Amino acid sequence: MPTHVDHEMTLTEVADLSRLRSVLHTWAVDHHFAGEPADDLVVAAVEVTANGLRHGEPPVRVRA
């Protein structure tokens, strides 16, 4: 695991996905991801997180 992360979020319910989407989009732009790659990153991370919340055992931790 990386020793430094800009964001570490623990999500416990599907309602948290909106906040995750916003934080990750800002993070991707701040790290110079172009438009489509930034969108792809956000969609993929939110989908994996949503699956963890719905089909796994919350909480789900996301680090960026």
Side-chain angles (χ1 to χ4, degrees):
M1 261 192 234
T3 56
H4 172 78
V5 296
D6 295 318
H7 298 284
E8 184 164 338
M9 300 175 65
T10 301
L11 295 89
T12 58
E13 55 189 40
V14 174
D16 295 332
L17 293 174
S18 176
R19 181 173 57 97
L20 174 64
R21 194 174 290 110
S22 176
V23 167
L24 286 179
H25 181 72
T26 300
W27 180 87
V29 170
D30 289 349
H31 284 82
H32 309 291
F33 282 67
E36 189 172 335
D39 292 342
D40 290 347
L41 171 103
V42 172
V43 168
V46 169
E47 182 68 21
V48 169
T49 305
N51 285 338
L53 290 169
R54 289 183 180 126
H55 306 293
E57 284 197 39
V60 175
R61 189 171 91 176
V62 178
R63 301 174 84 209

